[in-house]
Amino acid sequence: MNKIVIYITALTFTLAAEAQSYDKWKVYQNRKEIFSSDNKKETNDEKKIVLLNRLLEGPGFFIIEFTPAAEQSEWIRTIAFLDSSDHNIREYKNTLFLNIHNSEIAGIMEGQQKVKVYSWAVPKDPALAATVRVRRILLCTLYTR
């Protein structure tokens, strides 16, 4: 009887550990999913995405869809494009779904060998925001060819 209780307890803990949810994001270009990931495991991988110049010159959109693990209605989510020396190129605040034209991505990539796309969230309450340590999440690194 004790063995059955131990097995059921172990199974319950295993299922609870697997059921955790994580932040997820997907990247699309011209309606085609080109990348998807989550922050289940921190890696040193730069999550490389190569964008073709001929596609950036044509019509279409570059889309980043961010899905947080828990609802963040009291938080401001930012998606930012930074160059290789971590200088801010462009920043979009209060968004989980970023839809920008290919020509705008071409403008962001102009003169850059690589551009890192980060996301972070801060509380809407300024007093609380002053006490929170912000951790940015590397969504992907963009290269052009």
Side-chain angles (χ1 to χ4, degrees), residues 24-35:
K24 299 175 187 151
W25 56 92
K26 294 180 181 180
V27 179
Y28 301 89
Q29 186 177 24
N30 300 337
R31 293 188 227 159
K32 180 182 175 191
E33 182 178 321
I34 56 174
F35 182 77

Side-chain angles (χ1 to χ4, degrees), residues 45-107:
D45 182 23
E46 67 177 349
K47 302 169 185 168
K48 184 177 183 179
I49 296 176
V50 177
L51 302 175
L52 300 176
N53 284 326
R54 63 181 168 84
L55 293 177
L56 293 177
E57 294 168 357
F61 291 91
F62 180 83
I63 299 168
I64 298 176
E65 181 182 350
F66 189 90
T67 307
E71 185 178 335
Q72 298 178 330
S73 60
E74 295 299 315
W75 292 71
I76 299 171
R77 170 70 51 191
T78 301
I79 297 176
F81 295 85
L82 285 76
D83 64 10
S84 56
S85 58
D86 276 352
H87 292 105
N88 196 345
I89 299 172
R90 188 131 338 132
E91 190 173 289
Y92 299 91
K93 291 186 183 257
N94 206 15
T95 184
L96 293 174
F97 187 83
L98 180 64
N99 185 2
I100 55 179
H101 197 272
N102 281 339
S103 62
E104 192 171 346
I105 281 291

Side-chain angles (χ1 to χ4, degrees), residues 123-132:
K124 287 182 180 177
D125 179 20
L128 184 59
T131 63
V132 172

Side-chain angles (χ1 to χ4, degrees), residues 8-20:
I8 291 174
T9 304
L11 180 64
T12 303
F13 282 119
T14 303
L15 291 175
E18 291 295 321
Q20 289 181 345

